Amino acid sequence: MLLSIITSGKNDQYAGNFVQRLQHNLNKLNDNVSKFNTNDVEIILVDWGSEEKLSNVLDTDNFPHTEFLHIPPSIAQKYSPDSGFSIVHALNAGFRRSQGRYIFFLDGDSYVPYESLLLIYNIALSLDEEKSKTFFWASRYHLPYEIHSNTTNIEDIDESIKIWEQNNKQDWRHNKVRLHDFGGEAMGLLLSRDICEESTLYYEVLNKWGWLDIEFHHRILTRYSCVGDLEDYDVSFFHLDHHSIQNKGQNGINPNYNSPKFEANDESWGLINEDLTLYKK
């Protein structure tokens, strides 16, 4: 397997319409991968602690490349008793059950155009052993809520993006990642399996909201190079904006705390000792 795309979420309708935003994300990812005409890409959705599984409430008819990893509430509560959604555990658990030589971690409410995912696939194809000791962030434009909330198909969203591009990319909020200190906003991370395994990935102490990606950036930058922003290759990535962000801290806020060592977690990281299995719907 060349590439694993790992994303996560919870059936809690975070910020108003999370399931719809996740549906758009997975519809687009599956459509893109189908156009690659390859079996070398997998999409993994980690469902953290949902009482009603995301796989039961999403329309999965067009998800040929997606596998689900459901973390039952009883297990989720054990690892993050003071947080309703631990993205560090979710992404780490997805990684430890993935197969790709390269990994693209992606926010659940993201939208990746075909050309952007094709770039990621071609980068993974081109990286040799030496070049694989690098990582890339993907900056994001904020796709306004009104554009994606009133449609059920990706064709409408694609048309809105096309019009926006014809208008010289006007008005959609955008903060480019500053690679030296991780300022700005990222919605995706591309890196090799080796880096993930050596670092033990996201620091599982940070099981609430915020800081976890900044901590990871600074930690792996001590050994590996951040080559750049994927946006620098003349492609765009999008965040499907929330109806509201008033509850972004509903699961608590992480402190600005760094792992004392490069290998951030113990050998059980990624819930590897739990009986969890990927499944198709």
Side-chain angles (χ1 to χ4, degrees):
M1 185 71 65
L2 175 68
L3 180 65
S4 296
I5 303 169
I6 302 175
T7 191
S8 65
K10 184 178 181 180
N11 185 15
D12 60 359
Q13 288 298 57
Y14 173 76
N17 67 335
F18 176 74
V19 171
Q20 182 186 21
R21 285 177 281 135
L22 180 63
Q23 182 79 55
H24 289 326
N25 181 7
L26 292 172
N27 283 348
K28 188 60 175 175
L29 287 175
N30 280 274
D31 184 65
N32 290 341
V33 174
S34 293
K35 291 175 181 176
F36 292 172
N37 194 26
T38 180
N39 294 319
D40 226 9
V41 180
E42 64 179 357
I43 303 165
I44 296 174
L45 171 62
V46 185
D47 181 357
W48 184 263
S50 295
E51 296 283 351
E52 175 74 6
K53 293 179 180 179
L54 284 167
S55 58
N56 290 341
V57 298
L58 290 164
D59 180 357
T60 61
D61 289 346
N62 296 312
F63 287 5
H65 307 285
T66 297
E67 292 182 287
F68 295 85
L69 182 67
H70 180 243
I71 315 297
S74 59
I75 293 178
Q77 176 70 12
K78 181 165 62 172
Y79 287 89
S80 57
D82 55 349
S83 171
F85 180 51
S86 176
I87 191 171
V88 287
H89 286 99
L91 295 178
N92 286 1
F95 168 76
R96 297 211 77 177
R97 290 154 182 85
S98 67
Q99 302 180 63
R101 299 195 303 277
Y102 296 92
I103 315 296
F104 186 51
F105 292 105
L106 184 66
D107 291 347
D109 50 3
S110 300
Y111 194 80
V112 183
Y114 173 76
E115 294 78 10
S116 305
L117 195 64
L118 181 61
L119 168 69
I120 290 168
Y121 181 74
N122 286 333
I123 288 175
L125 275 177
S126 67
L127 292 176
D128 57 26
E129 183 175 352
E130 183 61 31
K131 290 180 180 177
S132 70
K133 296 176 181 177
T134 61
F135 60 102
F136 305 78
W137 288 102
S139 291
R140 65 188 188 185
Y141 287 88
H142 289 261
L143 203 157
Y145 175 81
E146 295 76 14
I147 288 175
H148 61 80
S149 63
N150 295 321
T151 183
T152 58
N153 63 71
I154 58 176
E155 289 78 14
D156 291 343
I157 298 174
D158 287 341
E159 181 62 24
S160 295
I161 291 173
K162 181 179 179 181
I163 294 171
W164 168 76
E165 290 174 332
Q166 292 171 346
N167 291 330
N168 298 313
K169 300 185 177 182
Q170 295 289 322
D171 300 328
W172 290 2
R173 186 161 58 92
H174 174 238
N175 292 312
K176 193 171 176 61
V177 173
R178 297 195 308 265
L179 301 178
H180 67 285
D181 65 354
F182 198 78
E185 299 178 353
M187 50 134 284
L189 169 65
L190 175 66
L191 73 174
S192 71
R193 184 169 212 89
D194 290 345
I195 295 178
C196 296
E197 290 177 341
E198 184 181 346
S199 66
T200 68
L201 210 49
Y202 292 104
Y203 190 22
E204 292 182 351
V205 169
L206 304 175
N207 62 6
K208 301 181 181 67
W209 183 86
W211 187 252
L212 61 99
D213 44 5
I214 300 173
E215 191 280 336
F216 186 58
H217 175 85
H218 285 284
R219 178 156 43 91
I220 59 175
L221 197 61
T222 62
R223 294 191 184 180
Y224 297 101
S225 300
C226 187
V227 172
D229 189 330
L230 290 166
E231 186 187 295
D232 293 337
Y233 291 81
D234 198 28
V235 296
S236 299
F237 299 86
F238 299 91
H239 173 254
L240 299 166
D241 260 6
H242 315 93
H243 171 66
S244 166
I245 59 171
Q246 293 179 353
N247 60 349
K248 71 179 181 181
Q250 66 184 29
N251 299 314
I253 306 293
N254 285 316
N256 294 359
Y257 179 68
N258 298 316
S259 168
K261 56 182 182 177
F262 187 78
E263 301 79 10
N265 304 301
D266 64 25
E267 64 277 358
S268 65
W269 68 280
L271 282 63
I272 199 62
N273 295 329
E274 302 290 347
D275 185 16
L276 301 169
T277 305
L278 293 172
Y279 65 94
K280 289 224 176 195
K281 190 69 165 59

